[in-house]
PDB file of all heavy atoms in Angstrom:
ATOM      1  N   ARG A  68     258.194-138.774  70.374  1.00  0.00           N
ATOM      2  CA  ARG A  68     257.073-139.674  70.015  1.00  0.00           C
ATOM      3  C   ARG A  68     255.847-139.513  70.921  1.00  0.00           C
ATOM      4  O   ARG A  68     254.714-139.986  70.614  1.00  0.00           O
ATOM      5  CB  ARG A  68     257.644-141.199  70.230  1.00  0.00           C
ATOM      6  CG  ARG A  68     258.467-141.572  68.973  1.00  0.00           C
ATOM      7  CD  ARG A  68     259.146-142.829  69.201  1.00  0.00           C
ATOM      8  NE  ARG A  68     259.951-142.845  70.521  1.00  0.00           N
ATOM      9  CZ  ARG A  68     260.232-143.871  71.296  1.00  0.00           C
ATOM     10  NH1 ARG A  68     259.642-145.051  71.000  1.00  0.00           N
ATOM     11  NH2 ARG A  68     260.961-143.685  72.312  1.00  0.00           N
ATOM     12  N   GLY A  69     256.009-138.933  72.129  1.00  0.00           N
ATOM     13  CA  GLY A  69     254.891-138.763  73.012  1.00  0.00           C
ATOM     14  C   GLY A  69     254.188-137.426  72.782  1.00  0.00           C
ATOM     15  O   GLY A  69     253.341-137.084  73.505  1.00  0.00           O
ATOM     16  N   LEU A  70     254.603-136.745  71.698  1.00  0.00           N
ATOM     17  CA  LEU A  70     253.962-135.370  71.476  1.00  0.00           C
ATOM     18  C   LEU A  70     252.901-135.664  70.327  1.00  0.00           C
ATOM     19  O   LEU A  70     253.294-135.872  69.195  1.00  0.00           O
ATOM     20  CB  LEU A  70     255.050-134.405  71.014  1.00  0.00           C
ATOM     21  CG  LEU A  70     254.596-133.004  70.592  1.00  0.00           C
ATOM     22  CD1 LEU A  70     253.903-132.218  71.701  1.00  0.00           C
ATOM     23  CD2 LEU A  70     255.726-132.175  70.065  1.00  0.00           C
ATOM     24  N   LYS A  71     251.718-135.652  70.680  1.00  0.00           N
ATOM     25  CA  LYS A  71     250.698-136.013  69.759  1.00  0.00           C
ATOM     26  C   LYS A  71     250.073-134.792  69.133  1.00  0.00           C
ATOM     27  O   LYS A  71     249.746-133.824  69.709  1.00  0.00           O
ATOM     28  CB  LYS A  71     249.470-136.752  70.593  1.00  0.00           C
ATOM     29  CG  LYS A  71     249.950-138.048  71.103  1.00  0.00           C
ATOM     30  CD  LYS A  71     249.878-139.205  69.950  1.00  0.00           C
ATOM     31  CE  LYS A  71     250.668-140.480  70.436  1.00  0.00           C
ATOM     32  NZ  LYS A  71     252.036-140.504  70.063  1.00  0.00           N
ATOM     33  N   LYS A  72     249.832-134.940  67.726  1.00  0.00           N
ATOM     34  CA  LYS A  72     249.122-133.897  66.931  1.00  0.00           C
ATOM     35  C   LYS A  72     247.740-134.391  66.802  1.00  0.00           C
ATOM     36  O   LYS A  72     247.523-135.575  66.335  1.00  0.00           O
ATOM     37  CB  LYS A  72     249.926-133.683  65.624  1.00  0.00           C
ATOM     38  CG  LYS A  72     249.647-132.362  65.000  1.00  0.00           C
ATOM     39  CD  LYS A  72     250.293-132.205  63.743  1.00  0.00           C
ATOM     40  CE  LYS A  72     251.273-131.058  63.756  1.00  0.00           C
ATOM     41  NZ  LYS A  72     251.658-130.626  62.341  1.00  0.00           N
ATOM     42  N   VAL A  73     246.747-133.603  67.228  1.00  0.00           N
ATOM     43  CA  VAL A  73     245.241-133.995  67.101  1.00  0.00           C
ATOM     44  C   VAL A  73     244.487-132.785  66.372  1.00  0.00           C
ATOM     45  O   VAL A  73     244.986-131.805  66.281  1.00  0.00           O
ATOM     46  CB  VAL A  73     244.711-134.475  68.400  1.00  0.00           C
ATOM     47  CG1 VAL A  73     245.523-135.584  69.098  1.00  0.00           C
ATOM     48  CG2 VAL A  73     244.696-133.251  69.352  1.00  0.00           C
ATOM     49  N   LYS A  74     243.284-133.175  66.071  1.00  0.00           N
ATOM     50  CA  LYS A  74     242.424-132.232  65.445  1.00  0.00           C
ATOM     51  C   LYS A  74     242.295-131.044  66.323  1.00  0.00           C
ATOM     52  O   LYS A  74     241.898-131.468  67.595  1.00  0.00           O
ATOM     53  CB  LYS A  74     241.047-132.964  65.149  1.00  0.00           C
ATOM     54  CG  LYS A  74     240.497-132.524  63.709  1.00  0.00           C
ATOM     55  CD  LYS A  74     239.379-133.520  63.361  1.00  0.00           C
ATOM     56  CE  LYS A  74     238.754-132.842  62.182  1.00  0.00           C
ATOM     57  NZ  LYS A  74     237.450-132.528  62.403  1.00  0.00           N
ATOM     58  N   GLY A  75     242.197-129.839  65.949  1.00  0.00           N
ATOM     59  CA  GLY A  75     241.923-128.697  66.837  1.00  0.00           C
ATOM     60  C   GLY A  75     243.073-127.860  66.942  1.00  0.00           C
ATOM     61  O   GLY A  75     244.002-127.932  66.155  1.00  0.00           O
ATOM     62  N   LYS A  76     243.022-126.820  67.815  1.00  0.00           N
ATOM     63  CA  LYS A  76     243.883-125.781  68.076  1.00  0.00           C
ATOM     64  C   LYS A  76     244.978-126.112  69.104  1.00  0.00           C
ATOM     65  O   LYS A  76     244.544-126.589  70.188  1.00  0.00           O
ATOM     66  CB  LYS A  76     243.268-124.432  68.185  1.00  0.00           C
ATOM     67  CG  LYS A  76     242.735-123.894  66.933  1.00  0.00           C
ATOM     68  CD  LYS A  76     241.869-122.645  67.229  1.00  0.00           C
ATOM     69  CE  LYS A  76     242.668-121.473  67.530  1.00  0.00           C
ATOM     70  NZ  LYS A  76     241.879-120.173  67.753  1.00  0.00           N
ATOM     71  N   THR A  77     246.200-125.702  68.953  1.00  0.00           N
ATOM     72  CA  THR A  77     247.147-125.832  69.875  1.00  0.00           C
ATOM     73  C   THR A  77     246.799-124.878  71.180  1.00  0.00           C
ATOM     74  O   THR A  77     246.317-123.812  70.943  1.00  0.00           O
ATOM     75  CB  THR A  77     248.583-125.374  69.301  1.00  0.00           C
ATOM     76  OG1 THR A  77     248.807-126.276  68.305  1.00  0.00           O
ATOM     77  CG2 THR A  77     249.723-125.496  70.355  1.00  0.00           C
ATOM     78  N   PHE A  78     247.317-125.278  72.363  1.00  0.00           N
ATOM     79  CA  PHE A  78     247.158-124.497  73.463  1.00  0.00           C
ATOM     80  C   PHE A  78     247.808-123.128  73.311  1.00  0.00           C
ATOM     81  O   PHE A  78     248.908-123.083  72.724  1.00  0.00           O
ATOM     82  CB  PHE A  78     247.900-125.179  74.697  1.00  0.00           C
ATOM     83  CG  PHE A  78     248.065-124.562  75.951  1.00  0.00           C
ATOM     84  CD1 PHE A  78     246.953-124.635  76.962  1.00  0.00           C
ATOM     85  CD2 PHE A  78     249.112-123.657  76.266  1.00  0.00           C
ATOM     86  CE1 PHE A  78     247.156-123.985  78.240  1.00  0.00           C
ATOM     87  CE2 PHE A  78     249.235-123.062  77.429  1.00  0.00           C
ATOM     88  CZ  PHE A  78     248.201-123.189  78.445  1.00  0.00           C
ATOM     89  N   ARG A  79     247.176-122.058  73.785  1.00  0.00           N
ATOM     90  CA  ARG A  79     247.740-120.825  73.647  1.00  0.00           C
ATOM     91  C   ARG A  79     247.778-119.993  75.019  1.00  0.00           C
ATOM     92  O   ARG A  79     246.730-120.044  75.825  1.00  0.00           O
ATOM     93  CB  ARG A  79     246.956-119.975  72.605  1.00  0.00           C
ATOM     94  CG  ARG A  79     247.301-120.231  71.243  1.00  0.00           C
ATOM     95  CD  ARG A  79     246.300-119.664  70.296  1.00  0.00           C
ATOM     96  NE  ARG A  79     246.711-119.725  68.943  1.00  0.00           N
ATOM     97  CZ  ARG A  79     246.681-120.800  68.162  1.00  0.00           C
ATOM     98  NH1 ARG A  79     246.351-122.029  68.610  1.00  0.00           N
ATOM     99  NH2 ARG A  79     247.096-120.769  66.786  1.00  0.00           N
ATOM    100  N   TRP A  80     248.827-119.265  75.240  1.00  0.00           N
ATOM    101  CA  TRP A  80     248.926-118.502  76.391  1.00  0.00           C
ATOM    102  C   TRP A  80     249.467-117.098  75.985  1.00  0.00           C
ATOM    103  O   TRP A  80     250.316-116.917  75.195  1.00  0.00           O
ATOM    104  CB  TRP A  80     250.017-119.180  77.399  1.00  0.00           C
ATOM    105  CG  TRP A  80     250.135-118.210  78.712  1.00  0.00           C
ATOM    106  CD1 TRP A  80     249.317-118.106  79.733  1.00  0.00           C
ATOM    107  CD2 TRP A  80     251.306-117.447  78.987  1.00  0.00           C
ATOM    108  NE1 TRP A  80     249.830-117.339  80.648  1.00  0.00           N
ATOM    109  CE2 TRP A  80     251.111-116.775  80.183  1.00  0.00           C
ATOM    110  CE3 TRP A  80     252.537-117.120  78.230  1.00  0.00           C
ATOM    111  CZ2 TRP A  80     251.976-115.867  80.850  1.00  0.00           C
ATOM    112  CZ3 TRP A  80     253.412-116.167  78.882  1.00  0.00           C
ATOM    113  CH2 TRP A  80     253.076-115.682  80.226  1.00  0.00           C
ATOM    114  N   ARG A  81     248.710-116.077  76.592  1.00  0.00           N
ATOM    115  CA  ARG A  81     249.156-114.697  76.301  1.00  0.00           C
ATOM    116  C   ARG A  81     249.371-113.988  77.661  1.00  0.00           C
ATOM    117  O   ARG A  81     248.663-114.122  78.574  1.00  0.00           O
ATOM    118  CB  ARG A  81     248.023-113.898  75.630  1.00  0.00           C
ATOM    119  CG  ARG A  81     248.164-112.549  75.262  1.00  0.00           C
ATOM    120  CD  ARG A  81     247.066-111.988  74.438  1.00  0.00           C
ATOM    121  NE  ARG A  81     247.077-112.414  73.088  1.00  0.00           N
ATOM    122  CZ  ARG A  81     247.692-111.952  72.123  1.00  0.00           C
ATOM    123  NH1 ARG A  81     248.586-110.979  72.243  1.00  0.00           N
ATOM    124  NH2 ARG A  81     247.604-112.497  70.879  1.00  0.00           N
ATOM    125  N   GLY A  82     250.557-113.451  77.652  1.00  0.00           N
ATOM    126  CA  GLY A  82     250.895-112.810  78.928  1.00  0.00           C
ATOM    127  C   GLY A  82     251.670-111.491  78.657  1.00  0.00           C
ATOM    128  O   GLY A  82     252.169-111.121  77.671  1.00  0.00           O
ATOM    129  N   ARG A  83     251.851-110.710  79.889  1.00  0.00           N
ATOM    130  CA  ARG A  83     252.425-109.348  79.815  1.00  0.00           C
ATOM    131  C   ARG A  83     253.292-109.225  81.020  1.00  0.00           C
ATOM    132  O   ARG A  83     252.901-109.750  82.081  1.00  0.00           O
ATOM    133  CB  ARG A  83     251.375-108.203  79.767  1.00  0.00           C
ATOM    134  CG  ARG A  83     251.918-106.922  79.468  1.00  0.00           C
ATOM    135  CD  ARG A  83     250.873-105.802  79.645  1.00  0.00           C
ATOM    136  NE  ARG A  83     250.813-105.517  81.074  1.00  0.00           N
ATOM    137  CZ  ARG A  83     249.600-105.435  81.798  1.00  0.00           C
ATOM    138  NH1 ARG A  83     248.523-105.691  81.309  1.00  0.00           N
ATOM    139  NH2 ARG A  83     249.686-105.260  83.112  1.00  0.00           N
ATOM    140  N   TYR A  84     254.449-108.712  80.863  1.00  0.00           N
ATOM    141  CA  TYR A  84     255.374-108.389  82.003  1.00  0.00           C
ATOM    142  C   TYR A  84     255.467-106.854  82.000  1.00  0.00           C
ATOM    143  O   TYR A  84     255.789-106.267  80.922  1.00  0.00           O
ATOM    144  CB  TYR A  84     256.723-108.980  81.871  1.00  0.00           C
ATOM    145  CG  TYR A  84     256.693-110.484  81.913  1.00  0.00           C
ATOM    146  CD1 TYR A  84     256.465-111.187  80.651  1.00  0.00           C
ATOM    147  CD2 TYR A  84     256.862-111.211  83.010  1.00  0.00           C
ATOM    148  CE1 TYR A  84     256.418-112.485  80.589  1.00  0.00           C
ATOM    149  CE2 TYR A  84     256.791-112.561  82.997  1.00  0.00           C
ATOM    150  CZ  TYR A  84     256.489-113.267  81.784  1.00  0.00           C
ATOM    151  OH  TYR A  84     256.549-114.549  81.830  1.00  0.00           O
ATOM    152  N   ASP A  85     255.379-106.197  83.242  1.00  0.00           N
ATOM    153  CA  ASP A  85     255.686-104.779  83.298  1.00  0.00           C
ATOM    154  C   ASP A  85     257.177-104.715  83.745  1.00  0.00           C
ATOM    155  O   ASP A  85     257.921-105.745  83.707  1.00  0.00           O
ATOM    156  CB  ASP A  85     254.728-104.160  84.226  1.00  0.00           C
ATOM    157  CG  ASP A  85     253.270-104.216  83.777  1.00  0.00           C
ATOM    158  OD1 ASP A  85     253.127-104.158  82.439  1.00  0.00           O
ATOM    159  OD2 ASP A  85     252.383-104.352  84.509  1.00  0.00           O
ATOM    160  N   TYR A  86     257.505-103.595  84.355  1.00  0.00           N
ATOM    161  CA  TYR A  86     258.924-103.438  84.720  1.00  0.00           C
ATOM    162  C   TYR A  86     259.273-104.498  85.799  1.00  0.00           C
ATOM    163  O   TYR A  86     260.466-104.832  85.955  1.00  0.00           O
ATOM    164  CB  TYR A  86     259.290-101.955  85.034  1.00  0.00           C
ATOM    165  CG  TYR A  86     259.534-101.222  83.828  1.00  0.00           C
ATOM    166  CD1 TYR A  86     258.609-100.415  83.185  1.00  0.00           C
ATOM    167  CD2 TYR A  86     260.727-101.329  83.277  1.00  0.00           C
ATOM    168  CE1 TYR A  86     258.716 -99.778  82.050  1.00  0.00           C
ATOM    169  CE2 TYR A  86     261.055-100.635  81.916  1.00  0.00           C
ATOM    170  CZ  TYR A  86     259.950 -99.988  81.420  1.00  0.00           C
ATOM    171  OH  TYR A  86     260.278 -99.355  80.279  1.00  0.00           O
ATOM    172  N   ASP A  87     258.283-104.933  86.561  1.00  0.00           N
ATOM    173  CA  ASP A  87     258.520-105.970  87.538  1.00  0.00           C
ATOM    174  C   ASP A  87     258.456-107.355  86.758  1.00  0.00           C
ATOM    175  O   ASP A  87     257.523-107.922  86.605  1.00  0.00           O
ATOM    176  CB  ASP A  87     257.514-106.049  88.672  1.00  0.00           C
ATOM    177  CG  ASP A  87     257.797-107.189  89.618  1.00  0.00           C
ATOM    178  OD1 ASP A  87     258.838-107.836  89.509  1.00  0.00           O
ATOM    179  OD2 ASP A  87     257.051-107.341  90.509  1.00  0.00           O
ATOM    180  N   LEU A  88     259.700-107.656  86.306  1.00  0.00           N
ATOM    181  CA  LEU A  88     259.783-108.920  85.502  1.00  0.00           C
ATOM    182  C   LEU A  88     259.483-110.141  86.207  1.00  0.00           C
ATOM    183  O   LEU A  88     259.388-111.180  85.530  1.00  0.00           O
ATOM    184  CB  LEU A  88     261.167-108.906  84.718  1.00  0.00           C
ATOM    185  CG  LEU A  88     261.333-107.830  83.719  1.00  0.00           C
ATOM    186  CD1 LEU A  88     262.785-107.777  83.378  1.00  0.00           C
ATOM    187  CD2 LEU A  88     260.431-107.988  82.473  1.00  0.00           C
ATOM    188  N   ASN A  89     259.359-110.113  87.518  1.00  0.00           N
ATOM    189  CA  ASN A  89     259.152-111.312  88.236  1.00  0.00           C
ATOM    190  C   ASN A  89     257.627-111.702  88.234  1.00  0.00           C
ATOM    191  O   ASN A  89     257.245-112.827  88.480  1.00  0.00           O
ATOM    192  CB  ASN A  89     259.450-111.130  89.712  1.00  0.00           C
ATOM    193  CG  ASN A  89     260.990-111.164  89.822  1.00  0.00           C
ATOM    194  OD1 ASN A  89     261.706-111.775  89.198  1.00  0.00           O
ATOM    195  ND2 ASN A  89     261.466-110.649  91.015  1.00  0.00           N
ATOM    196  N   GLN A  90     256.757-110.804  87.689  1.00  0.00           N
ATOM    197  CA  GLN A  90     255.396-111.010  87.893  1.00  0.00           C
ATOM    198  C   GLN A  90     254.783-111.103  86.452  1.00  0.00           C
ATOM    199  O   GLN A  90     254.687-110.108  85.649  1.00  0.00           O
ATOM    200  CB  GLN A  90     254.860-109.816  88.541  1.00  0.00           C
ATOM    201  CG  GLN A  90     253.213-109.843  88.721  1.00  0.00           C
ATOM    202  CD  GLN A  90     252.939-110.986  89.586  1.00  0.00           C
ATOM    203  OE1 GLN A  90     253.508-111.196  90.733  1.00  0.00           O
ATOM    204  NE2 GLN A  90     251.875-111.758  89.366  1.00  0.00           N
ATOM    205  N   ALA A  91     254.432-112.312  85.999  1.00  0.00           N
ATOM    206  CA  ALA A  91     253.711-112.503  84.716  1.00  0.00           C
ATOM    207  C   ALA A  91     252.203-112.128  84.953  1.00  0.00           C
ATOM    208  O   ALA A  91     251.596-112.662  85.769  1.00  0.00           O
ATOM    209  CB  ALA A  91     253.815-113.990  84.246  1.00  0.00           C
ATOM    210  N   HIS A  92     251.603-111.386  84.026  1.00  0.00           N
ATOM    211  CA  HIS A  92     250.206-111.092  84.095  1.00  0.00           C
ATOM    212  C   HIS A  92     249.572-111.857  82.878  1.00  0.00           C
ATOM    213  O   HIS A  92     249.849-111.612  81.705  1.00  0.00           O
ATOM    214  CB  HIS A  92     249.944-109.644  83.896  1.00  0.00           C
ATOM    215  CG  HIS A  92     250.628-108.821  84.891  1.00  0.00           C
ATOM    216  ND1 HIS A  92     250.036-108.575  86.207  1.00  0.00           N
ATOM    217  CD2 HIS A  92     251.814-108.130  84.887  1.00  0.00           C
ATOM    218  CE1 HIS A  92     250.931-107.745  86.835  1.00  0.00           C
ATOM    219  NE2 HIS A  92     251.862-107.460  86.161  1.00  0.00           N
ATOM    220  N   THR A  93     248.838-112.913  83.261  1.00  0.00           N
ATOM    221  CA  THR A  93     248.159-113.649  82.309  1.00  0.00           C
ATOM    222  C   THR A  93     247.030-112.960  81.572  1.00  0.00           C
ATOM    223  O   THR A  93     246.083-112.526  82.461  1.00  0.00           O
ATOM    224  CB  THR A  93     247.771-115.135  82.831  1.00  0.00           C
ATOM    225  OG1 THR A  93     248.872-115.883  83.230  1.00  0.00           O
ATOM    226  CG2 THR A  93     246.994-115.853  81.879  1.00  0.00           C
ATOM    227  N   LEU A  94     247.062-112.756  80.354  1.00  0.00           N
ATOM    228  CA  LEU A  94     245.913-112.097  79.720  1.00  0.00           C
ATOM    229  C   LEU A  94     244.884-113.125  79.092  1.00  0.00           C
ATOM    230  O   LEU A  94     243.753-112.806  79.076  1.00  0.00           O
ATOM    231  CB  LEU A  94     246.548-111.137  78.609  1.00  0.00           C
ATOM    232  CG  LEU A  94     247.539-110.162  79.087  1.00  0.00           C
ATOM    233  CD1 LEU A  94     248.109-109.402  77.827  1.00  0.00           C
ATOM    234  CD2 LEU A  94     246.937-109.066  79.986  1.00  0.00           C
ATOM    235  N   GLU A  95     245.451-114.171  78.702  1.00  0.00           N
ATOM    236  CA  GLU A  95     244.542-115.192  78.125  1.00  0.00           C
ATOM    237  C   GLU A  95     245.115-116.596  78.215  1.00  0.00           C
ATOM    238  O   GLU A  95     246.380-116.692  78.008  1.00  0.00           O
ATOM    239  CB  GLU A  95     244.280-114.854  76.735  1.00  0.00           C
ATOM    240  CG  GLU A  95     243.142-115.527  76.051  1.00  0.00           C
ATOM    241  CD  GLU A  95     242.999-115.209  74.564  1.00  0.00           C
ATOM    242  OE1 GLU A  95     243.861-114.507  73.949  1.00  0.00           O
ATOM    243  OE2 GLU A  95     241.972-115.708  74.029  1.00  0.00           O
ATOM    244  N   THR A  96     244.336-117.584  78.497  1.00  0.00           N
ATOM    245  CA  THR A  96     244.741-118.974  78.495  1.00  0.00           C
ATOM    246  C   THR A  96     243.695-119.740  77.631  1.00  0.00           C
ATOM    247  O   THR A  96     242.526-119.753  77.968  1.00  0.00           O
ATOM    248  CB  THR A  96     244.866-119.628  79.891  1.00  0.00           C
ATOM    249  OG1 THR A  96     245.731-118.810  80.648  1.00  0.00           O
ATOM    250  CG2 THR A  96     245.419-121.109  79.802  1.00  0.00           C
ATOM    251  N   GLN A  97     244.154-120.282  76.433  1.00  0.00           N
ATOM    252  CA  GLN A  97     243.167-121.138  75.760  1.00  0.00           C
ATOM    253  C   GLN A  97     243.628-122.567  75.728  1.00  0.00           C
ATOM    254  O   GLN A  97     244.724-123.010  75.172  1.00  0.00           O
ATOM    255  CB  GLN A  97     243.296-120.739  74.187  1.00  0.00           C
ATOM    256  CG  GLN A  97     242.564-119.374  73.830  1.00  0.00           C
ATOM    257  CD  GLN A  97     242.674-119.213  72.315  1.00  0.00           C
ATOM    258  OE1 GLN A  97     242.872-120.022  71.499  1.00  0.00           O
ATOM    259  NE2 GLN A  97     242.774-117.886  71.977  1.00  0.00           N
TER     260      GLN A  97
END
Side-chain angles (χ1 to χ4, degrees):
R68 282 173 300 151
L70 178 60
K71 294 283 167 263
K72 201 180 238 197
V73 300
K74 220 166 168 239
K76 282 171 78 181
T77 298
F78 175 90
R79 276 165 171 78
W80 178 75
R81 179 176 289 277
R83 194 189 77 229
Y84 297 85
D85 297 326
Y86 280 97
D87 177 3
L88 291 168
N89 284 334
Q90 181 66 47
H92 302 279
T93 294
L94 304 176
E95 194 185 7
T96 305
Q97 284 181 28

